[in-house]
Structure formats: C-alpha cells, structure tokens
Amino acid sequence: MPTLYRLLTILALIAGTIYGIMAALVYFVEPRRTEVSIPVTLPEADAPRQPAAPDAGLSELRR
C-alpha cells in the first residue's frame, strides 16, 4: 500500500507542476498579434467543361 501512495503522490506532483507551468504561461506570456496575408494564385479558367452524360454513372469517377 505505501507504494500506491508514493505513486499517487508522484503523479499528483507531476500534474500540479504541469498545471502550474500552464497557469504561468497564461498569466505571463502575451501573444503578439500580427497581420498575415498570403497571396493565393487561382488557376486560369480553361474552356468550359461539358456536363457528363446522365448515363455515365460511376464510370466517370473511376478513370
């Protein structure tokens, strides 16, 4: 039984340390806000596609 108490105590100390580190990060670290812009190039539009024939079924998807 003493080994169980020792294990639970060690796990509680580890969990408390992790919780304390997370709380310190919340209180002391201020995030920097910056504007981010990423240019997105769109592909050129080719000739308009023809609609698939109604009887094409799933064979169009399997190519």
Side-chain angles (χ1 to χ4, degrees):
M1 205 56 138
T3 57
L4 178 63
Y5 291 142
R6 190 179 311 154
L7 173 69
L8 293 177
T9 302
I10 291 172
L11 290 177
L13 287 174
I14 291 172
T17 303
I18 292 172
Y19 183 78
I21 291 171
M22 289 182 357
L25 284 173
V26 167
Y27 289 119
F28 297 121
V29 176
E30 186 68 31
R32 286 182 276 165
R33 293 180 180 221
T34 59
E35 184 175 334
V36 177
S37 62
I38 301 172
V40 177
T41 57
L42 298 176
E44 293 294 323
D46 294 335
R49 297 182 180 179
Q50 298 296 328
D55 59 344
L58 293 177
S59 63
E60 284 289 321
L61 298 175
R62 293 186 179 150
R63 289 186 193 178

